[in-house]
Amino acid sequence: MKYPNNILEVASLLPDYMGFIFWDKSTRYFDGVIPPLPKSIKKVGVFVNESIAVILAKAQTHDLQAIQLHGHESVAFCTELRSAIGNDIEIIKVFSVAADFDFEVLQPFEAVCDYFLFDTKGKLPGGNGSTFDWTVLKKYPSTKPFFLSGGIGLEEIDLTTSILATQLPIHALDLNSKFETEPGLKDKNLLSKFQHNLKL
């Protein structure tokens, strides 16, 4: 999310999370003030290879409830971040997935992250607007809940409904580029339509 009025519009749909990108190379870069939101909505700060000091500062300034790490952050980094922020703020570690993704790389992160997020592998972190082959998730060896991301839109309703009916520990869906009219500006009507058509 990027624009205050649009943030409030989308907040009226009561999503579980709203994301704010604090990576200045992103077209969705957020440098404003987050308007007051319903307490049920968790504010997520998205960071790419950022320092712990900056993450802590942003978390305090914006009262973040979750940190999404979208870069090449190591297990040691996540461990240090967990120690610095405590257990009240969720840590979500992102992994870009392709057909040959090795799920074994996740194991060391399990103890220091609350959730994983699986996105489509692209040239830049996040927002590629395309869906990876979800059948690769059949190989997921863990019970750690994860966010499913990567080009999810209205055209993926049936596919999304199907994967949610499996035993995979899907915690949340990350909806982004396919609901935008421009980077960071979401179409509330499209999001509402997705909410109502998704069969849970």
Side-chain angles (χ1 to χ4, degrees):
M1 303 303 300
K2 188 172 180 179
Y3 303 101
N5 289 341
N6 188 228
I7 291 167
L8 293 174
E9 275 185 343
V10 174
S12 71
L13 299 175
L14 295 178
D16 296 309
Y17 295 85
M18 293 184 84
F20 302 88
I21 295 180
F22 297 110
W23 184 50
D24 60 10
K25 293 181 177 63
S26 173
T27 53
R28 302 182 182 95
Y29 176 61
F30 183 81
D31 63 353
V33 176
I34 301 174
L37 299 176
K39 291 197 182 304
S40 65
I41 300 175
K42 293 180 179 178
K43 291 172 285 188
V44 186
V46 181
F47 300 91
V48 180
N49 301 322
E50 190 53 88
S51 70
I52 286 178
V54 169
I55 293 174
L56 288 175
K58 294 290 187 184
Q60 185 170 32
T61 298
H62 298 285
D63 186 27
L64 301 178
Q65 284 78 50
I67 304 296
Q68 188 181 122
L69 301 174
H70 229 300
H72 301 292
E73 296 86 5
S74 65
V75 175
F77 180 91
C78 294
T79 302
E80 187 179 347
L81 178 62
R82 167 61 75 209
S83 178
I85 66 172
N87 294 317
D88 293 336
I89 298 179
E90 297 172 358
I91 297 178
I92 305 162
K93 181 68 185 88
V94 178
F95 294 89
S96 297
V97 176
D100 60 351
F101 183 72
D102 179 9
F103 285 99
E104 293 302 313
V105 303
L106 305 175
Q107 199 279 328
F109 288 90
E110 294 223 5
V112 291
C113 298
D114 297 287
Y115 303 102
F116 297 135
L117 184 150
F118 297 131
D119 201 355
T120 307
K121 193 171 182 63
K123 292 180 180 179
L124 290 173
N128 297 299
S130 58
T131 306
F132 65 90
D133 182 2
W134 289 351
T135 60
V136 73
L137 293 173
K138 291 178 181 178
K139 302 175 187 175
Y140 185 57
S142 174
T143 57
K144 174 73 71 177
F146 63 85
F147 289 64
L148 185 59
S149 185
I152 300 173
L154 289 172
E155 293 178 355
E156 286 74 36
I157 282 280
D158 291 342
L159 186 62
T160 305
T161 299
S162 295
I163 196 167
L164 289 175
T166 68
Q167 297 302 308
L168 287 166
I170 300 172
H171 176 67
L173 300 173
D174 185 330
L175 307 180
N176 196 5
S177 55
K178 288 197 173 180
F179 295 91
E180 289 185 331
T181 53
E182 65 177 71
L185 186 65
K186 302 295 185 289
D187 186 321
K188 178 190 172 183
N189 293 328
L190 285 181
L191 286 165
S192 179
K193 191 173 181 180
F194 186 92
Q195 274 188 334
H196 286 102
N197 288 325
L198 188 66
K199 300 176 181 64
L200 299 175

